[in-house]
Amino acid sequence: MLKEHITPLFLLTARAEQLRQQGHIAIEVARQSVKVRALQARDSVIAVVGAAAVITLIYLFFVPPWRIIGWMLPIVTSQITNQFFSLRILRWIDRAEIIDIVRGERCLTFISIAAAMAMGAGIWWIGGRNEILPLWYATTMIQCLYAIGDTVDNSTNVPSARASIGANLISVAVFWALSGGANIAVAIPIAALVIFLSGYALYFKKNFEELIQIRFENLDLVRSLEIEKQAAEQANLAKSRFLAAASHDLRQPLHALMLFSGMLNSSSPEQTQTMIAHIHHAADSLNKLFGGLLDLSQLDAGVVNPSVTCVRIGPIIASIAREIQPRADGKGISFTHTTTDFTVKTDPLLFERILRNLADNAIKYTESGKISITASVLEDKVLVIVRDTGVGIAEDMQVKIFDEFFQVHNPARNIEKGTGLGLAIVQRLCQLLDHRLMVQSVVGVGSEFTLLLNAENTQEFSTAERLSSARAENVPQDLIIVVVEDDARVRFAMKSLLESWKCRALVYECCTSALSNLAEEALVPDTLIADFRLADGSNGFEAITAFRNKFGAQFPAAIFTGDTEEHLRYVQTMPDVPVFQKPVQPEEIAQWLIDVTSCSSEIN
């Protein structure tokens, strides 16, 4: 190997470290410089040796052979040596490490300087004891031509080029300067040539570096574009898989709904009740799937704004435990949860969603054994762990389980086994809240999902820790609630729901008809629920503005929408107006009505 020959001659570490700090572009410039020099050395050796032979033949008529051989032999030897090492360098330079690139630089520089010193000695060998002035001029010309060629060969490495120029031409200039008389004048243009060639080497080096830099920047750009293209292709494939899975899962319960609905007309009263139960079950499946898809859409669109505050996780775990316990008892599974309470930094509602999804998965995939939810402190972190003794997840599947619609144990896409969106939502929520999520699982043994949350010592808790669900009977009766909604089925459903709570529901297709009817009947409503997109081309925020112009700036109102992005530009102008994404659970509507009526009572 090359390094076996030259490593002891040079201290290479400093140069290698310099290149490493300058970055990969500087490294590639050095690599290409060595490669160019090696190529030029390989291609020029025949010309140099041939020129040496011609010079030897010419000088034999004027100079003793041994003196000519004494000058030409070191030059030819250095060129052959250069050829030998250059060929070896060309074999590995494209894949060389930084330290080997530096070794290549030093090797070529050493050989180049040695050859230049041999060439520089020519004027002394030929002219030292010879008074034939034309021979001096001829020798000087040969050395100058060599210097020009050597500069071109070494110009990608300025130190090497300047050292070669100096080793060759300075000795020529000194010879003429010491010759005395008019010969001193010859030394001046030779010295000027030294300066010119040194400047040329620097100029060539800068251009060379710029070209290499542009080349590799373009390569980096091409690689970057290729990576982006691959990412786009992967995203497109993922989208196609997502849409295919979503289409399948949406069609299944919808198909069931249509079949059961078609059987209602010809069924007996007993069968009708069964059909209604199946319809309710299919509708519930659709609602869960739409809810998961909506959650993913909101998270991917960046419209979910977490309200991070100090939260006690004990009540949240206890609330989930109350939901899980009956399901665990029904399957004969032992379920335990921590009674230790800790305070963390999180959004309470989103954290509850994460924990509920993990607990739901544990129940779903555990047929026997036990499930537990525990919390503990590790330095400044709180660890919340959901363990189960379920079917487990193979190691090569533990990354894929966070993909949409991916279910290890549900290849047939049976909706009864879940939608396959739970863990995808969990991962996105953890990223949104900056909670670390880890999974450990062994097939046939069980799984363990760990959440790492930032611990807090403060006792200041947000009002979001209040009970998240509301009882319908707590909704104040006789509320006059205006609903502006362009979909007739939704209007009918909202009217039926609100009237079941003993409220008076006034439903309209657009804001204009609502205000007109209220004016005719001289009614003052208590609140407004508006869809974002309305039948007359207006939107819910404009409807709220019209109602507030009529009934006061503090008039309570809310937006119910299936849109995920269009409404965002209006939110900043009305920050007090809550926006609920459809489908909205009745409990959410009830809780909002309880809240706004409580606030109105306090104001009054």
Side-chain angles (χ1 to χ4, degrees):
M1 292 293 292
L2 171 65
K3 58 185 178 183
E4 295 173 352
H5 296 277
I6 66 172
T7 299
L9 301 177
F10 301 99
L11 298 174
L12 309 175
T13 307
R15 168 65 175 159
E17 184 60 30
Q18 179 189 35
L19 288 175
R20 190 176 287 108
Q21 290 178 357
Q22 290 175 347
H24 82 284
I25 296 292
I27 294 170
E28 292 305 326
V29 168
R31 185 194 309 276
Q32 296 304 313
S33 172
V34 172
K35 186 174 182 178
V36 167
R37 292 167 67 190
L39 286 170
Q40 289 173 333
R42 181 196 67 184
D43 297 339
S44 64
V45 66
I46 296 175
V48 172
V49 173
V54 172
I55 292 168
T56 300
L57 290 174
I58 294 172
Y59 276 80
L60 281 175
F61 296 100
F62 308 100
V63 181
W66 65 270
R67 191 173 289 274
I68 300 171
I69 294 171
W71 180 32
M72 288 291 114
L73 185 60
I75 296 173
V76 173
T77 302
S78 65
Q79 289 300 321
I80 294 173
T81 304
N82 200 0
Q83 172 85 352
F84 171 77
F85 282 113
S86 294
L87 290 174
R88 303 197 70 178
I89 287 171
L90 289 172
R91 293 194 193 107
W92 50 255
I93 189 62
D94 287 329
R95 61 181 185 279
E97 299 293 333
I98 299 177
I99 194 67
D100 288 325
I101 294 173
V102 176
R103 286 192 178 103
E105 282 184 341
R106 298 297 171 87
C107 173
L108 294 176
T109 298
F110 175 78
I111 296 171
S112 178
I113 293 173
M117 290 177 65
M119 178 59 74
I123 191 68
W124 301 91
W125 277 84
I126 301 301
R129 296 193 180 187
N130 195 317
E131 298 297 331
I132 305 174
L133 200 59
L135 286 180
W136 293 10
Y137 284 120
T139 304
T140 300
M141 185 179 295
I142 291 169
Q143 292 184 235
C144 288
L145 291 173
Y146 180 90
I148 293 171
D150 198 38
T151 302
V152 172
D153 289 346
N154 289 288
S155 56
T156 60
N157 186 285
V158 174
S160 176
R162 287 177 174 174
S164 297
I165 294 166
N168 182 4
L169 294 186
I170 291 177
S171 65
V172 179
V174 170
F175 176 86
W176 284 99
L178 295 178
S179 298
N183 294 333
I184 297 176
V186 180
I188 297 175
I190 295 174
L193 182 61
V194 171
I195 297 172
F196 169 79
L197 292 178
S198 297
Y200 170 81
L202 181 61
Y203 171 78
F204 188 91
K205 168 71 171 176
K206 288 181 179 179
N207 287 332
F208 176 79
E209 288 181 347
E210 289 176 2
L211 289 173
I212 297 299
Q213 184 170 349
I214 291 171
R215 172 187 171 189
F216 281 94
E217 284 176 352
N218 289 338
L219 287 175
D220 289 345
L221 179 60
V222 169
R223 292 191 193 101
S224 177
L225 291 174
E226 185 65 28
I227 291 171
E228 290 180 7
K229 178 184 175 184
Q230 292 175 358
E233 290 174 350
Q234 290 298 321
N236 191 45
L237 289 173
K239 180 181 178 182
S240 298
R241 289 194 297 267
F242 177 89
L243 292 175
S247 175
H248 172 274
D249 288 5
L250 286 169
R251 288 175 184 273
Q252 293 291 84
L254 187 59
H255 179 62
L257 273 175
M258 295 178 67
L259 293 177
F260 289 129
S261 299
M263 295 169 63
L264 283 175
N265 292 330
S266 59
S267 61
S268 64
E270 294 78 11
Q271 290 174 325
T272 298
Q273 293 302 315
T274 302
M275 295 301 106
I276 291 173
H278 284 304
I279 288 171
H280 179 77
H281 182 70
D284 184 60
S285 297
L286 271 176
N287 182 48
K288 288 179 180 178
L289 185 55
F290 272 119
L293 290 170
L294 179 60
D295 288 338
L296 283 175
S297 174
Q298 290 178 300
L299 288 166
D300 289 340
V303 299
V304 178
N305 297 313
S307 178
V308 177
T309 184
C310 299
V311 180
R312 290 172 50 222
I313 62 173
I316 296 176
I317 295 176
S319 174
I320 293 174
R322 286 192 293 270
E323 298 176 19
I324 294 297
Q325 190 68 62
R327 296 173 61 190
D329 293 342
K331 297 182 73 172
I333 301 169
S334 170
F335 174 69
T336 58
H337 68 280
T338 185
T339 56
T340 306
D341 198 9
F342 298 106
T343 307
V344 299
K345 273 280 192 180
T346 189
D347 180 306
L349 298 179
L350 298 182
F351 172 69
E352 183 175 352
R353 181 72 185 277
I354 292 170
L355 203 56
R356 180 176 283 107
N357 280 5
L358 293 176
D360 182 68
N361 260 24
I363 283 286
K364 196 179 299 175
Y365 295 109
T366 302
E367 297 301 326
S368 62
K370 59 185 179 179
I371 296 172
S372 66
I373 304 176
T374 61
S376 59
V377 173
L378 178 64
E379 296 178 351
D380 62 340
K381 301 289 183 183
V382 170
L383 279 68
V384 180
I385 305 174
V386 179
R387 294 186 180 92
D388 65 63
T389 56
V391 292
I393 308 162
E395 186 174 356
D396 61 336
M397 295 292 180
Q398 290 177 18
V399 176
K400 296 181 180 180
I401 59 173
F402 297 104
D403 293 344
E404 302 90 344
F405 293 106
F406 182 85
Q407 292 174 291
V408 178
H409 305 287
N410 189 14
R413 305 288 313 139
N414 183 358
I415 195 69
E416 299 297 326
K417 295 183 180 180
T419 62
L421 299 176
L423 289 179
I425 293 171
V426 165
Q427 185 184 55
R428 285 167 170 80
L429 288 174
C430 286
Q431 292 170 347
L432 182 67
L433 296 171
D434 196 26
H435 298 337
R436 187 178 177 189
L437 175 64
M438 298 180 294
V439 58
Q440 290 183 321
S441 187
V442 178
V443 175
V445 176
S447 303
E448 178 179 297
F449 289 84
T450 302
L451 293 166
L452 268 70
L453 300 90
N454 292 323
E456 288 292 326
N457 295 320
T458 180
Q459 294 301 313
E460 299 177 3
F461 304 107
S462 71
T463 56
E465 280 193 291
R466 61 179 173 77
L467 189 62
S468 60
S469 62
R471 299 173 65 86
E473 55 263 33
N474 293 334
V475 176
Q477 297 182 8
D478 299 324
L479 287 177
I480 300 176
I481 304 170
V482 176
V483 177
V484 181
E485 167 66 57
D486 63 342
D487 190 293
R489 290 169 298 182
V490 176
R491 288 200 300 273
F492 177 78
M494 285 293 294
K495 183 177 178 64
S496 301
L497 176 67
L498 295 173
E499 288 180 347
S500 73
W501 295 344
K502 311 302 182 186
C503 297
R504 183 177 178 183
L506 305 173
V507 297
Y508 302 96
E509 188 177 25
C510 64
C511 176
T512 304
S513 59
L515 289 173
S516 176
N517 185 269
L518 290 171
E520 288 179 6
E521 298 187 22
L523 288 175
V524 178
D526 293 296
T527 187
L528 167 67
I529 296 174
D531 189 11
F532 176 69
R533 298 178 185 273
L534 300 178
D536 60 357
S538 63
N539 63 65
F541 287 96
E542 293 170 348
I544 293 171
T545 300
F547 266 73
R548 287 184 171 179
N549 289 337
K550 176 74 173 176
F551 301 110
Q554 301 300 318
F555 184 78
I559 295 288
F560 286 16
T561 180
D563 188 90
T564 59
E565 294 184 18
E566 282 294 315
H567 67 277
L568 293 178
R569 54 197 175 105
Y570 296 95
V571 171
Q572 301 298 326
T573 61
M574 292 186 179
D576 62 319
V577 176
V579 177
F580 295 90
Q581 294 288 339
K582 295 177 181 178
V584 186
Q585 296 291 338
E587 292 82 4
E588 292 182 86
I589 302 173
Q591 183 64 62
W592 177 70
L593 290 172
I594 293 169
D595 290 343
V596 296
T597 51
S598 298
C599 291
S600 298
S601 299
E602 291 174 5
I603 293 172
N604 295 331

